[in-house]
Amino acid sequence: MKNVSELLKKKKDFFHQNPVHTVAEVKKAMALGGNQSGGMTEFILEGFPDLNSTRMELFSVFLFVYLLTLTGNVLIVGVVGADARLQTPMYFFLGNLSCLEILITSVIIPKMLSNFLSRKHTISFVACITQFYFYFFLGASEFLLLAVMSVDRYLAICHPLRYPLLMSGATCSRMAAACWVGGLFPVLGPTVAVALLPFCKQGAVVQHFFCDSGPLLQLACTNTKKLEETDFILASLVIISSLTITAASYGHIILAVLRIPSASGRQKAFSTCTSHLMVVTLFYGSAIFLYVRPSQSGSVDTNWAVTMITTFVTPLLNPFIYALRNKQVKEALKDVFRKLVAGFLRSLSLAENFLKKMAE
């Protein structure tokens, strides 16, 4: 009898502190039994429920894409740091972009791959909130960095004489640091707010392959309208402001390219701009569709498909579009591989001489 009274008191306190407005929310709250986020220990990631029959094939494909993404971006970071010819603002920012791509894919994909090999698709509450925070922190930083990169290209093409003075090493370092910090702090508030939400039951199913904002908010046993509005405002500020700067910069670049007298020069410049704009359009378009809207509710299948672009497609394409097609990067990579092969052969020769002396 005492336990029943305590349970009724907990439910009464919950309804007093968290007003519920819809029938669905009432049912969820009635199932609560006193569980707040402080008592939540794990979620279940739904993943790809309609594709369970092909999970090993999907595992192989996603593992290959992940390894290819890591390889491309690690190569960019390594060659930019090792080759003196690439110590320029453009490649400095590309190195930062590759670091972000390595981190953002590593936040999502390893857990998703492990779920393909496991029957239990659980993720701890702490791991889920951590994944949530780093995904949005790194994503926001990437938007800011893309805007900075577009401004860098605008200054290089439209103001070539003033470019070395405007984009000094110290200025580039400060701009890159601002991008990282600019994503670090704005996401902190919404993350804490989500972590403090009351969730209805242990092992609630997150209808996604990672802890995204919308699916998590749908599991809350309280009205999340204000939090969704806050997310909408923050996403709009970061994404739309970044998009505006990027679009304005590329607009000026295109106008400058049109003034190039040589037809071959215009064609080469447009080829580069087109590939850059393709990646930027994919990234911004998918992010705007997912997050720049007042309500986070939407079709699970559609959200899943669009999220694949930001977590798989653009991180894979960026190294090839921005750097690996570039003649300077190709030459730098060849030099690095030559040095590695020469060092390896030298080591083999030393080992062979050492063994010969030991044999004597």
Side-chain angles (χ1 to χ4, degrees), residues 55-73 105 109-110 112-113 116 308 311-313 315-317 319-320:
R55 62 179 185 174
M56 291 311 298
E57 290 84 352
L58 285 174
F59 171 83
S60 301
V61 171
F62 290 143
L63 178 62
F64 175 73
V65 171
Y66 178 53
L67 293 176
L68 194 59
T69 301
L70 285 183
T71 302
N73 284 290
T105 52
I109 299 178
M112 187 190 74
L113 291 174
F116 279 120
M308 294 291 287
T311 53
F312 284 93
V313 178
L316 177 63
L317 290 178
F320 298 95

Side-chain angles (χ1 to χ4, degrees), residues 1-269:
M1 194 71 178
K2 184 179 178 181
N3 291 337
V4 172
S5 299
E6 289 177 353
L7 181 59
L8 289 172
K9 186 176 184 301
K10 285 181 179 179
K11 286 186 176 181
K12 183 179 179 181
D13 291 340
F14 171 77
F15 281 108
H16 177 71
Q17 296 170 9
N18 302 279
V20 183
H21 302 290
T22 67
V23 174
E25 287 175 319
V26 171
K27 289 179 179 179
K28 288 169 76 177
M30 290 299 290
L32 177 61
N35 269 337
Q36 299 281 323
S37 60
M40 177 67 69
T41 59
E42 66 180 17
F43 293 104
I44 296 172
L45 295 173
E46 188 177 45
F48 307 87
D50 298 330
L51 303 173
N52 282 333
S53 59
T54 59
R55 62 179 185 174
M56 291 311 298
E57 290 84 352
L58 285 174
F59 171 83
S60 301
V61 171
F62 290 143
L63 178 62
F64 175 73
V65 171
Y66 178 53
L67 293 176
L68 194 59
T69 301
L70 285 183
T71 302
N73 284 290
V74 168
L75 278 176
I76 298 303
V77 175
V79 75
V80 167
D83 197 290
R85 291 170 294 181
L86 303 182
Q87 303 299 311
T88 65
M90 182 179 78
Y91 293 110
F92 171 74
F93 291 128
L94 282 174
N96 276 269
L97 180 64
S98 289
C99 286
L100 283 169
E101 299 291 23
I102 292 167
L103 292 172
I104 202 167
T105 52
S106 298
V107 165
I108 304 297
I109 299 178
K111 179 60 182 175
M112 187 190 74
L113 291 174
S114 71
N115 284 343
F116 279 120
L117 304 177
S118 171
R119 292 189 177 183
K120 291 180 66 179
H121 297 174
T122 58
I123 182 171
S124 71
F125 178 80
V126 173
C128 184
I129 296 300
T130 302
Q131 188 184 64
F132 174 95
Y133 174 72
F134 278 98
Y135 174 74
F136 287 104
F137 148 49
L138 295 167
S141 296
E142 185 162 344
F143 282 115
L144 297 174
L145 185 62
L146 286 173
V148 167
M149 289 171 65
S150 68
V151 171
D152 171 67
R153 291 297 82 210
Y154 159 72
L155 293 174
I157 293 170
C158 300
H159 301 280
L161 297 179
R162 297 173 60 197
Y163 179 70
L165 179 64
L166 293 171
M167 299 299 290
S168 64
T171 301
C172 292
S173 297
R174 283 195 291 268
M175 292 174 78
C179 292
W180 287 86
V181 174
L184 186 68
F185 292 110
V187 180
L188 191 58
T191 304
V192 172
V194 170
L196 295 176
L197 283 174
F199 294 100
C200 294
K201 60 181 179 178
Q202 291 287 355
V205 178
V206 178
Q207 294 186 333
H208 215 317
F209 55 83
F210 75 103
C211 293
D212 199 3
S213 177
L216 277 179
L217 293 180
Q218 289 174 7
L219 299 178
C221 290
T222 186
N223 193 319
T224 60
K225 185 178 179 181
K226 288 185 178 180
L227 185 53
E228 289 185 39
E229 289 174 351
T230 303
D231 288 347
F232 168 68
I233 292 168
L234 285 173
S236 299
L237 286 173
V238 172
I239 297 174
I240 301 301
S241 61
S242 171
L243 176 60
T244 302
I245 295 170
T246 303
S249 298
Y250 275 109
H252 283 91
I253 289 170
I254 290 170
L255 290 175
V257 169
L258 290 172
R259 298 191 193 102
I260 297 174
S262 166
S264 60
R266 283 198 304 271
Q267 184 178 359
K268 183 179 179 181

Side-chain angles (χ1 to χ4, degrees), residues 260-305:
I260 297 174
S262 166
S264 60
R266 283 198 304 271
Q267 184 178 359
K268 183 179 179 181
F270 270 123
S271 173
T272 304
C273 286
T274 301
S275 58
H276 288 190
L277 285 172
M278 180 183 70
V279 175
V280 167
T281 302
L282 280 173
F283 193 61
Y284 278 104
S286 56
I288 289 170
F289 176 83
L290 287 170
Y291 303 114
V292 184
R293 54 186 183 184
S295 174
Q296 290 293 315
S297 61
S299 169
V300 174
D301 292 335
T302 305
N303 289 356
W304 169 83

